[in-house]
Amino acid sequence: MLMIDNHGYRLRRPRKIPGHPGVVILAAALCAILLAACSTTQAAQEPPTPTPLPPDPALERPTYIVARGTLERVLTVTGRATPVDLARLSFRREGRVNTVGVQRGDVVKAGDVLAELQQDEALEELRRAEVDVVQARRDLESARQAQAKRIKERELDVERARQELARLLPGGEADVFSEAQQQLDTALRDLRNARDDASWAKTTAEEALRDSAEALNDSQKAYSTAWWNWDWVQKYGTDPENPTIIDPNGVRVPNRLTDKQKEEYRNKLTQAERALRDAERTVEQAQRARDRAVEDEIVKTGEAEKKAAEAQRALDNLLQGRDTRALADARRTLEQAQLALEEARAETLNAALRAVENAERAVEKARRRVEDGQIIAAQDGTVIAIAIEPGMTVSAFDPVIEVADPSQLEFAATLNSQQMRQLAEGQGAEIRLLSRPDLVIPAVIRRLPAPYGSGGSGTVQDRDSTTRFQIIDTRGQKLEAGISVGRISIVLERKEHVLWLPPDAVRSFEGRRFVIVREGERERRVPVTIGIETDERVEIVTGLKEGDVVVGP
């Protein structure tokens, strides 16, 4: 029989084997045979020293003593060192790699372009879009400046209209009463002047017509004389003014003209005819001028009379409490200026703003297309893996570059859902490297994947479903990403000063747990309630007390 002392050591002691009566008979028979054999041998020779028989192993059962101690339910998994912030980078569209600007081990900054596809068309589209947005912004700024200018002009119009109205109101610079009286005086004066001017103009035109008529009469006479002279010259060839002369012999003879003299008479006719036509035109012009003068006298005098009447009515209306036309116009001008100012202020730049928004969206779309063909570092770190080279064809969203901070490592382990349900972020853990199982590295659970922790909402399936363990102290160990492997232990439950037995001591039948307790020479079945169960210890909640001896199966 085995016993466990307070130090946990197992002790063997003899025990009585209870059993079936047939077993006792068989044992007695065997003893009789052995005694007979011994007696025969002793008769033949000197008896040897007897050797005790070992107990039958099949009949020996282990025993256990119920003890108090500490129980821990521990979850142990295997994990691997990995960077805390590992970024797996990929192109967001397929294509052929044009440039790769980094190598494994290069240090990069967030925003650095690490690789780029062949995308001349996308780059040209982005350039055009950027030019368009610059022009759209310039147009918007011009529209704003033009609007501000219009508002300023309308404000000035309003101010001028106010000043004009104030000037026309009583007490202003242009008192409406005095202004109306002055306008009436001016209108009457203009009427007198118009009548005088029209009369003088008509008289002057009539005198000019008379003069031109006399000049025409003179021209007609001169033309008639020149015409008859030329006719005489053509018929007789002599001088019409002096047809005959006395020759040296004292004889009167025809006064013949030379060709030159004839040509002079012809020129005189031409000049007389031209002068006649000029005189006729002058008479016509003088007649028209005289007619205009008469008409102007009627029109201008009528206009002046109308203005004088209007001025008289304006003064009468003012005396009767009515606005003058100027005052009414001033009020209306002020209202129109105010409306124009309100319209200018309410005027929107929707078209220009939409143009800018559309251009900016086009730039953003073109930039996204270019960025989709680039791999851009999302964080500062070191390139720890690269799987592309220029000329390669790549697919969209296939990770080809990994960037991380190799100095910031943690352990990652893949757990099933049943295991993760028992854990919580911030819970302590211990890591034992496979290369140093004797050294304990303290850690805590930094992140559990959704829906068990903060690793996402659980609605979207995260590609990284590992549980992350933050290292508290490396204990001087140099860890390498992807190479350092360790066993991670997490205490799920811990109880101190509780009763416990080895798992082999507890039996089960039809879902009920019990043990066989030995009390002296007697054994009895005792049901027990189980608490924490580990591979080495089982917590006994009820049914036993410290020091009880339990028989194993």
Side-chain angles (χ1 to χ4, degrees):
M1 178 176 295
L2 293 176
M3 294 187 299
I4 301 177
D5 63 6
N6 292 332
H7 299 287
Y9 294 101
R10 292 186 179 183
L11 304 176
R12 186 181 298 277
R13 68 180 181 182
R15 64 183 179 85
K16 181 179 179 180
I17 303 176
H20 196 275
V23 177
V24 177
I25 296 172
L26 179 59
L30 289 175
C31 290
I33 295 172
L34 291 175
L35 291 175
C38 289
S39 61
T40 306
T41 304
Q42 288 176 354
Q45 58 183 11
E46 186 176 0
T49 303
T51 302
L53 291 174
D56 188 353
L59 301 178
E60 184 69 22
R61 291 184 299 170
T63 59
Y64 309 94
I65 297 178
V66 179
R68 286 191 179 274
T70 300
L71 270 72
E72 291 182 342
R73 186 162 60 91
V74 179
L75 173 64
T76 302
V77 295
T78 300
R80 187 180 299 272
T82 186
V84 174
D85 294 321
L86 174 64
R88 293 182 174 90
L89 307 178
S90 60
F91 294 105
R92 288 187 291 275
R93 60 183 175 88
E94 63 181 10
R96 187 179 298 276
V97 178
N98 185 36
T99 59
V100 179
V102 293
Q103 297 178 349
R104 190 174 185 275
D106 287 354
V107 177
V108 297
K109 297 288 186 181
D112 289 351
V113 177
L114 310 184
E116 187 169 6
L117 298 177
Q118 296 175 359
Q119 51 178 359
D120 293 341
E121 181 180 348
L123 291 171
E124 176 60 22
E125 181 182 349
L126 176 60
R127 187 194 66 77
R128 290 197 301 268
E130 290 175 340
V131 171
D132 292 343
V133 79
V134 169
Q135 185 59 47
R137 287 171 179 166
R138 287 175 180 169
D139 294 342
L140 175 60
E141 183 60 27
S142 298
R144 284 174 174 162
Q145 292 176 358
Q147 183 187 36
K149 182 179 178 181
R150 286 193 296 273
I151 291 174
K152 185 64 177 178
E153 290 174 349
R154 300 299 177 267
E155 290 175 344
L156 292 175
D157 291 343
V158 170
E159 183 61 27
R160 283 194 292 267
R162 281 202 186 98
Q163 292 176 358
E164 180 62 19
L165 179 60
R167 191 178 68 84
L168 296 176
L169 291 174
E173 295 179 0
D175 190 338
V176 289
F177 291 96
S178 60
E179 181 70 19
Q181 186 62 53
Q182 290 176 4
Q183 289 179 355
L184 177 58
D185 294 342
T186 301
L188 294 174
R189 184 172 56 254
D190 291 344
L191 176 59
R192 289 193 297 272
N193 293 337
R195 288 173 176 169
D196 294 343
D197 292 344
S199 177
W200 179 84
K202 183 176 71 172
T203 301
T204 302
E206 290 174 346
E207 292 177 355
L209 178 59
R210 284 195 299 270
D211 293 342
S212 62
E214 293 175 357
L216 175 60
N217 187 43
D218 293 341
S219 297
Q220 289 173 341
K221 291 179 180 179
Y223 174 77
S224 178
T225 300
W227 188 89
W228 286 113
N229 287 339
W230 173 244
D231 183 68
W232 178 274
V233 170
Q234 287 179 320
K235 287 180 178 181
Y236 304 109
T238 60
D239 187 353
E241 295 177 357
N242 192 13
T244 60
I245 59 174
I246 299 175
D247 64 5
N249 297 322
V251 180
R252 184 173 294 275
V253 295
N255 186 9
R256 301 288 179 182
L257 298 175
T258 64
D259 291 340
K260 182 177 180 181
Q261 290 173 332
K262 292 178 180 180
E263 186 65 25
E264 289 177 355
Y265 277 101
R266 181 180 179 181
N267 290 339
K268 288 180 180 179
L269 177 61
T270 301
Q271 292 173 0
E273 184 178 7
R274 185 180 297 116
L276 177 61
R277 298 293 176 264
D278 291 342
E280 290 174 347
R281 283 194 295 273
T282 301
V283 169
E284 291 176 359
Q285 291 173 357
Q287 183 64 45
R288 285 197 296 271
R290 189 259 180 190
D291 294 341
R292 282 197 302 273
V294 173
E295 183 178 356
D296 288 346
E297 181 182 20
I298 297 172
V299 172
K300 291 182 179 180
T301 301
E303 291 177 350
E305 290 175 347
K306 183 179 179 180
K307 289 182 179 179
E310 290 176 351
Q312 185 63 56
R313 283 195 301 272
L315 180 59
D316 294 342
N317 290 334
L318 188 62
L319 294 174
Q320 296 173 5
R322 301 173 184 175
D323 281 347
T324 64
R325 177 175 296 180
L327 189 57
D329 290 343
R331 296 185 191 279
R332 186 165 49 253
T333 300
L334 177 58
E335 292 175 358
Q336 292 174 349
Q338 289 173 334
L339 288 175
L341 176 59
E342 291 176 1
E343 291 176 358
R345 287 174 174 171
E347 187 178 283
T348 62
L349 304 175
N350 291 338
L353 289 171
R354 280 196 299 271
V356 172
E357 292 172 357
N358 292 336
E360 289 175 344
R361 280 195 293 269
V363 167
E364 185 61 24
K365 180 180 178 181
R367 183 175 291 115
R368 282 198 304 269
R369 185 181 177 196
V370 170
E371 291 176 352
D372 288 346
Q374 296 175 330
I375 291 182
I376 301 174
Q379 62 189 43
D380 296 349
T382 301
V383 178
I384 64 174
I386 185 167
I388 55 172
E389 61 184 14
M392 286 182 59
T393 299
V394 295
S395 300
F397 303 106
D398 284 348
V400 292
I401 296 179
E402 292 184 350
V403 175
D405 184 355
S407 65
Q408 299 294 324
L409 300 180
E410 63 184 1
F411 271 75
T414 302
L415 282 68
N416 58 41
S417 59
Q418 183 177 0
Q419 292 171 330
M420 288 187 285
R421 287 192 188 97
Q422 306 176 71
L423 304 179
E425 293 177 352
Q427 189 173 353
E430 293 181 350
I431 302 175
R432 289 177 172 81
L433 299 177
L434 298 185
S435 59
R436 286 292 307 274
D438 58 318
L439 184 65
V440 175
I441 297 177
V444 296
I445 299 176
R446 181 181 68 83
R447 190 200 69 176
L448 285 166
Y452 307 101
S454 61
S457 64
T459 304
V460 178
Q461 186 65 32
D462 195 344
R463 298 181 65 178
D464 183 8
S465 59
T466 60
T467 299
R468 297 301 184 98
F469 296 85
Q470 180 182 353
I471 300 171
I472 304 302
D473 185 356
T474 61
R475 300 294 172 87
Q477 298 301 302
K478 182 179 180 181
L479 304 178
E480 297 184 52
I483 297 177
S484 300
V485 180
R487 296 287 290 171
I488 305 172
S489 300
I490 308 102
V491 176
L492 303 179
E493 190 175 4
R494 177 186 175 91
K495 291 185 178 180
E496 297 181 352
H497 304 296
V498 297
L499 300 178
W500 65 273
L501 281 173
D504 292 341
V506 181
R507 310 185 190 196
S508 177
F509 180 73
E510 294 183 352
R512 298 180 180 179
R513 311 296 287 273
F514 67 93
V515 297
I516 303 299
V517 177
R518 174 170 292 168
E519 297 175 346
E521 296 300 325
R522 165 175 183 275
E523 295 179 355
R524 65 186 177 90
R525 175 174 171 171
V526 176
V528 295
T529 303
I530 302 302
I532 297 176
E533 293 186 66
T534 68
D535 293 339
E536 298 178 353
R537 296 182 179 186
V538 176
E539 178 190 3
I540 305 299
V541 179
T542 62
L544 298 175
K545 64 181 182 299
E546 185 177 2
D548 284 347
V549 177
V550 176
V551 180

